Amino acid sequence: KLISRTVHLFFPKELGLYGLEATLIPVLSFEFVSLESLFEKLSHPESYGGLVFTSPRALEAIKICLKENSKSEAWSKSLKQRWNTKPAYVVGKATASLVEEIGLSPQGEKTGNAEKLAEYICSREKGNSSCLLFPCGALKREVLPTALKEKGIPLESLTVYQTTEHTNLQESLSSYFSQQGIPASIVFFSPSGVKFCLQHIQKLSGDFINHVKFAAIGPTTAEAMEAAGIPVSCTAESPTPQDLAAGIQKALRLQNCVCSKNTAHISS
């Protein structure tokens, strides 16, 4: 099942409150996989010490499983309560809210990235604790698994979604640049967004790319941008519209790029 990523659709409206005219360009699509295996593991909470979620898509995979009446009934009658005796570790508010939607209580939502979540988990789990179940994407970074392994904390990863380029990406970007021109700023929300977008953006911007201020939603995305040779003008202190807007405004102001309309081109 392919689903276009739209998790940041609220950002254009929110950024508008800060004087930024924002356009969202869907960059990624997701294919959910191994859902039967996922629910089989969720059906045995006694085998695990807790759950780890670093992406909203992992929760979307669980919600797809729960659309089946039999599985939803099993979850509501006993599985949810049994999992609630164990921690559900998360990165960020978006993931935390989805954990709450399936009836669990998230922990660690203020950590903001995988590195800090790993530290949070290590401060609470012991080396001889039960294995943590980690539903994740095929392109997951190894930061969290490696950190837990070094501390002797067992982690079982299960790939539940694969990331691909959105079929309309090139057309959407070309349409934006032809109608709106070169944006004042471009925001990336993930390393995958950088991977799939950069070549198109470079081609469309030409020599004017040096006038664009690039922003990252967090340190992981900023690292991917730097590795790709993109100058990072700002990184949001936390992955919220407020902090992102503040960072973009500061970057534009410092570079004397504040015009009557600041256009933020949102890549998600």
Side-chain angles (χ1 to χ4, degrees):
K1 184 176 182 181
L2 281 171
I3 299 181
S4 298
R5 179 183 184 186
T6 56
V7 69
H8 292 292
L9 275 174
F10 67 95
F11 269 41
K13 179 181 177 182
E14 293 287 340
L15 293 181
L17 299 176
Y18 294 84
L20 297 167
E21 181 184 316
T23 301
L24 181 132
I25 307 293
V27 172
L28 309 176
S29 292
F30 300 99
E31 181 180 7
F32 293 95
V33 298
S34 305
L35 297 185
E36 287 299 323
S37 178
L38 171 61
F39 193 76
E40 172 64 23
K41 295 179 185 300
L42 290 174
S43 298
H44 295 282
E46 71 279 1
S47 300
Y48 300 96
L51 294 159
V52 179
F53 299 107
T54 58
S55 165
R57 264 70 57 199
L59 274 306
E60 290 173 19
I62 293 178
K63 294 179 78 172
I64 291 172
C65 289
L66 297 181
K67 285 183 179 179
E68 291 187 26
N69 290 335
S70 60
K71 293 175 180 177
S72 178
E73 184 176 353
W75 180 259
S76 299
K77 281 190 173 182
S78 67
L79 293 178
K80 179 173 64 176
Q81 289 81 354
R82 292 163 67 190
W83 277 111
N84 258 325
T85 65
K86 307 168 186 291
Y89 297 111
V90 304
V91 166
K93 293 182 179 180
T95 305
S97 65
L98 289 174
V99 167
E100 291 172 343
E101 285 182 17
I102 63 171
L104 303 183
S105 300
Q107 297 183 27
E109 65 181 81
K110 294 183 179 179
T111 53
N113 59 58
E115 290 87 345
K116 291 182 180 178
L117 179 61
E119 294 175 5
Y120 182 89
I121 293 173
C122 289
S123 70
R124 285 159 174 76
E125 299 288 332
K126 297 179 181 179
N128 59 354
S129 59
S130 298
C131 185
L132 299 174
L133 179 60
F134 179 31
C136 57
L139 298 180
K140 77 176 189 307
R141 297 169 70 229
E142 293 301 320
V143 171
L144 187 143
T146 299
L148 297 193
K149 184 177 180 180
E150 289 175 351
K151 295 293 184 179
I153 299 171
L155 181 75
E156 181 180 334
S157 300
L158 175 66
T159 298
V160 296
Y161 68 91
Q162 297 174 342
T163 306
T164 60
E165 179 179 319
H166 194 284
T167 54
N168 296 328
L169 173 59
Q170 188 168 356
E171 180 183 346
S172 297
L173 284 171
S174 297
S175 176
Y176 176 90
F177 274 79
S178 64
Q179 294 178 22
Q180 305 290 333
I182 307 297
S185 62
I186 294 178
V187 184
F188 286 106
F189 285 93
S190 71
S192 297
V194 177
K195 174 184 175 181
F196 293 125
C197 261
L198 183 56
Q199 184 176 0
H200 299 310
I201 290 173
Q202 289 173 325
K203 182 178 180 180
L204 291 165
S205 299
D207 294 337
F208 292 99
I209 196 167
N210 294 327
H211 299 286
V212 178
K213 306 307 165 192
F214 289 94
I217 191 63
T220 301
T221 301
E223 289 175 8
M225 293 165 65
E226 290 170 351
I230 303 175
V232 182
S233 298
C234 72
T235 302
E237 290 188 10
S238 64
T240 65
Q242 294 82 3
D243 284 342
L244 178 60
I248 294 172
Q249 286 179 325
K250 183 177 180 181
L252 292 173
R253 189 164 55 245
L254 288 174
Q255 298 298 326
N256 297 316
C257 287
V258 178
C259 308
S260 58
K261 280 190 176 181
N262 293 327
T263 302
H265 159 206
I266 309 299
S267 294
S268 179

